[in-house]
Amino acid sequence: MTRLDIDGLAWSFEPRSPTARWLLREVDLHVASGEFVGLIGPNGSGKTSLLRCAYRATEPDKGQVRLDDDDLWQRTSRWCAQRIAVVLQEFPQDFGLTVHDVVSMGRTPHKGLFEGDTPHDAQLIVEALGQVGLVSSAAHAFATLSGGEKQRVLLARALIQQPQLLILDEPTNHLDPRYQLELMQYLRSLGLSILASFHDLNLAAAFCDRLYVIDGGRIVANGTPEQVLTPSVLHKVFGVEALVDRHPLHAYPRITWITR
């Protein structure tokens, strides 16, 4: 099992400028082994920037990002790709690739330069497509899929990396309610260390062990959904009043935004 530790992280477009605007400041965030942690905050708060630092796409100007006891920036990108899988909001250019082709790319960090798919790889691809309900679409062109189907393909690609840490940026953004719930239930069942950003706070409340709230590039609250999703925190961060009560069937908070 793997843990993620982010300590004292700061990042700016112009870190050496005396007028630098720090997009991330003094960020501490921790994901324990097997823990599902959610990152929430308003648009422009720094969620995606923080995730990019967490999966070694953007090097922070200050602080550390460690996977267990390894500093990511003291390791190669290949080493990180063998341990961290990422599912982003935007879809990659497909260049005419099929669904099978896109999913198989998840095995790349584990292969040599000219090494092809092994029988084990082929089995993993079939299993991953089955897990996201797209076995029958393996030969379809990726470009022809709906947004929700593309999101599920990218999750399958991440899964066959066999990661120790899974990072997701708005994983349910393109999915209808059925697949949102199925995806979240499936992610919970994996037992992986997971860090995911959310706009849907009710989904975050239902499935995350802990939440971090980011606003203006700083972590302003963290804890269990019950500790974090309070009317005062929500009003301060999102600028909207909310009714927070208990879900009628489960023991987690339910948020109803109040319109005036």
Side-chain angles (χ1 to χ4, degrees), residues 203-240:
L203 276 178
F207 290 99
C208 292
D209 298 309
R210 290 188 304 114
L211 298 174
Y212 283 82
V213 185
I214 188 169
D215 189 22
R218 294 180 183 270
I219 299 298
V220 297
N222 73 88
T224 65
E226 291 83 0
Q227 293 169 328
V228 167
L229 298 175
T230 65
S232 61
V233 169
L234 296 175
H235 185 266
K236 180 180 179 181
V237 172
F238 294 96
V240 182

Side-chain angles (χ1 to χ4, degrees), residues 4 6 28 54-55 59 63 75 80-82 90 94 98 114-115 120 126 141 151 160 196 205 207 219-220 230 249:
L4 172 70
I6 297 175
D28 295 331
Y55 61 80
E59 185 173 7
R75 293 290 186 170
C80 293
Q82 290 171 344
E90 62 271 13
D94 61 87
T98 66
F114 298 108
E115 187 178 349
H120 177 60
V126 171
Q151 192 79 342
I160 71 163
F207 290 99
I219 299 298
V220 297
T230 65
L249 301 180

Side-chain angles (χ1 to χ4, degrees), residues 35-247:
E35 188 178 31
F36 195 146
V37 171
L39 180 65
I40 63 174
N43 291 337
S45 60
K47 296 191 298 296
T48 297
S49 296
L50 178 54
L51 292 184
R52 286 181 59 82
C53 291
Y55 61 80
R56 201 185 179 279
T58 299
E59 185 173 7
D61 297 302
K62 300 178 183 178
Q64 281 192 322
V65 182
R66 298 191 309 278
L67 200 62
D68 291 331
D69 294 321
D70 290 289
D71 186 325
L72 293 191
W73 290 95
Q74 299 300 315
R75 293 290 186 170
T76 65
S77 57
R78 178 182 175 86
W79 183 94
C80 293
Q82 290 171 344
R83 292 159 176 81
I84 303 172
V86 183
V87 180
L88 303 178
Q89 291 187 59
E90 62 271 13
F91 300 126
Q93 295 293 325
D94 61 87
F95 300 107
L97 298 178
T98 66
V99 167
H100 181 279
D101 295 333
V102 172
V103 175
S104 69
M105 292 168 65
R107 297 303 298 159
T108 302
H110 302 281
K111 294 177 177 295
L113 184 58
F114 298 108
E115 187 178 349
D117 286 345
T118 66
H120 177 60
D121 295 331
Q123 180 183 351
L124 289 175
I125 292 168
V126 171
E127 290 175 354
L129 286 172
Q131 289 162 344
V132 299
L134 289 173
V135 171
S136 62
S137 300
H140 293 183
F142 181 75
T144 66
L145 302 184
S146 69
E149 289 170 329
K150 287 179 178 178
Q151 192 79 342
R152 287 151 58 198
V153 171
L154 297 181
L155 175 62
R157 184 182 68 177
L159 293 176
I160 71 163
Q161 281 182 241
Q162 297 182 307
Q164 299 166 17
L165 172 68
L166 185 58
I167 295 179
L168 308 106
D169 192 4
E170 302 289 347
T172 61
N173 192 38
H174 300 279
L175 304 179
D176 62 33
R178 170 192 168 187
Y179 284 115
Q180 285 184 0
L181 294 174
E182 287 185 0
L183 172 66
M184 296 299 291
Q185 289 165 349
Y186 178 63
L187 291 174
R188 283 289 310 183
S189 74
L190 293 174
L192 290 172
S193 306
I194 298 176
L195 174 62
S197 66
F198 290 94
H199 271 129
D200 189 327
L201 303 190
N202 282 307
L203 276 178
F207 290 99
C208 292
D209 298 309
R210 290 188 304 114
L211 298 174
Y212 283 82
V213 185
I214 188 169
D215 189 22
R218 294 180 183 270
I219 299 298
V220 297
N222 73 88
T224 65
E226 291 83 0
Q227 293 169 328
V228 167
L229 298 175
T230 65
S232 61
V233 169
L234 296 175
H235 185 266
K236 180 180 179 181
V237 172
F238 294 96
V240 182
E241 293 185 14
L243 170 68
V244 181
D245 59 6
R246 184 74 57 180
H247 190 283

